[in-house]
């Protein structure tokens, strides 16, 4: 069935009159359509279109192929529609190590209800995932994105840490604390850059452990191994930690949302996830709300 893709591109070009319009309709780049038409012309030993600045004009061979291809594509579409009810639809998902899954559960449930036999396969390769749950700064290049919420970073402390007795935390309060590092998170690096204003304070910090994702990071803080820099929303995800602002530095924030590959299938999954008619464009932060 994959070999029929050039015919689909040809039909779109025939009906729409230009390769660029056909590419937009098929959700691909124009060179893909041009190359597919060229392969068909090689296969059938002749041009399918006359090209001009005004667009495409089908040749006699093009007219004949269009009349024959329509029935073939219709039969294949009917067959695919019948098979989709019996074949699992694999949705590949990537969740960044500094993002918690819980806020995305409702969206995944919407996909499960909307797509018959949907199965989710989690991957550690963001580029291969149909959907990516990531901070905007970590979105793979070339993917679409819809922000869902914005949040700031704070200092995570064990729930019985003595510093919780203070009304406000400052840089000076961090002197001598053991820090649990999160090297997978670029926002934490920006937070440390902000902390660099207090060089004397940073000189007293020591790295006690290094986590590989935020779920582990929270467990290490709850175990009393040290303090950590993490998104303030994580404080609701673990009973053993408390998140506090550091009052004398400029806040570091991030935007979290759902990314998606620019394919028809991934776009459909993002649309179901967001419960929206379309995923074209990007929502403004003024309308962002946690799902």
């Amino acid at each position: 069935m994959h070999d029929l893709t050039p015919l689909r591109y040809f039909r779109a070009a025939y009906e729409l009159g230009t390769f660029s319009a056909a590419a937009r309709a098929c959700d691909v780049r124009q060179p893909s359509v041009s190359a597919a038409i060229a392969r068909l012309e090689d296969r059938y030993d002749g041009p399918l279109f006359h090209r001009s600045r005004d667009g495409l004009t089908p040749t006699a061979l093009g007219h004949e192929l269009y009349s024959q291809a329509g029935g073939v594509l219709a039969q294949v579409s009917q067959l695919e529609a019948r098979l989709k009810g019996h074949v699992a639809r694999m949705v590949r998902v990537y969740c960044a190590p500094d993002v918690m899954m819980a806020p995305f559960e409702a969206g995944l449930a919407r996909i499960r209800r909307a797509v018959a036999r949907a199965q989710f396969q989690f991957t550690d390769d963001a580029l291969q995932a149909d959907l990516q749950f990531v901070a905007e700064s970590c979105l793979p290049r070339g993917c679409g994105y819809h922000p869902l919420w914005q949040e700031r970073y704070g200092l995570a402390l064990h729930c019985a840490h003595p510093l919780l007795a203070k009304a406000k935390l400052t840089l000076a309060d961090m002197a001598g604390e053991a820090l649990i590092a999160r090297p997978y998170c670029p926002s934490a690096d920006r937070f440390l850059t902000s902390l660099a204003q207090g060089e004397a304070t940073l000189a007293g910090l020591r790295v006690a452990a290094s986590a590989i994702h935020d779920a582990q990071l929270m467990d290490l803080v709850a175990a009393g191994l040290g303090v950590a820099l993490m998104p303030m929303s994580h404080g609701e995800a673990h009973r053993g930690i408390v998140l506090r602002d550091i009052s004398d530095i400029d806040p570091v924030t991030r935007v979290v949302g759902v990314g998606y590959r620019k394919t028809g299938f991934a776009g459909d999954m993002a649309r179901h996830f967001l419960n929206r008619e379309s995923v074209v464009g990007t929502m403004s932060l003024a309308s962002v709300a946690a799902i």
Side-chain angles (χ1 to χ4, degrees), residues 111-133:
I111 293 176
R112 188 68 183 85
R113 290 192 296 268
V115 181
R117 298 182 63 81
Q119 292 185 7
F120 300 104
Q121 181 183 66
F122 282 78
T123 174
D124 59 2
D125 187 347
L127 290 173
Q128 296 301 315
D130 300 302
L131 300 178
Q132 303 112 6
F133 304 147

Side-chain angles (χ1 to χ4, degrees), residues 178-203:
L179 181 71
I180 302 174
R182 51 203 306 264
Y184 47 84
C185 175
S187 294
D189 291 339
R190 290 197 296 273
F191 202 135
L192 287 173
T193 299
S194 297
L195 291 179
Q197 302 170 44
E199 295 181 2
T201 299
L202 284 181

Side-chain angles (χ1 to χ4, degrees), residues 178-185 188-189 192 206-214 216-218 220-221 225-230:
L179 181 71
I180 302 174
R182 51 203 306 264
Y184 47 84
C185 175
D189 291 339
L192 287 173
R206 60 182 178 85
V207 175
S210 183
I212 60 173
H213 51 68
D214 274 7
Q216 183 184 77
L217 182 74
M218 290 187 289
L220 294 174
V221 173
L225 271 68
V227 301
L229 306 168
M230 67 176 72

Side-chain angles (χ1 to χ4, degrees), residues 1 12 20 29-30 45 69 73 75 140 175 224 248-249 254 260 285:
M1 295 181 187
S20 59
R29 296 178 180 275
Q30 181 177 329
D45 297 322
L73 292 174
Q75 291 178 6
D248 55 349
I249 63 170
R254 70 172 182 175
Y260 57 93
L285 279 179

Side-chain angles (χ1 to χ4, degrees), residues 8 18 49 66 95 111 113 135 167 177 180 200 217 228 246 280:
R8 294 190 174 100
T18 66
F49 298 104
Y66 181 79
C95 186
I111 293 176
R113 290 192 296 268
E177 292 291 335
I180 302 174
L217 182 74
I246 301 175
V280 176

Side-chain angles (χ1 to χ4, degrees), residues 15-52:
E15 294 174 348
L16 298 174
T18 66
F19 288 158
S20 59
R24 289 193 295 271
C26 296
D27 195 21
V28 296
R29 296 178 180 275
Q30 181 177 329
S32 299
V33 175
S34 300
I37 302 301
R39 290 196 298 272
L40 288 175
E41 291 178 330
D42 288 342
R43 181 181 301 171
Y44 298 120
D45 297 322
L48 298 172
F49 298 104
H50 296 300
R51 282 83 159 167
S52 71

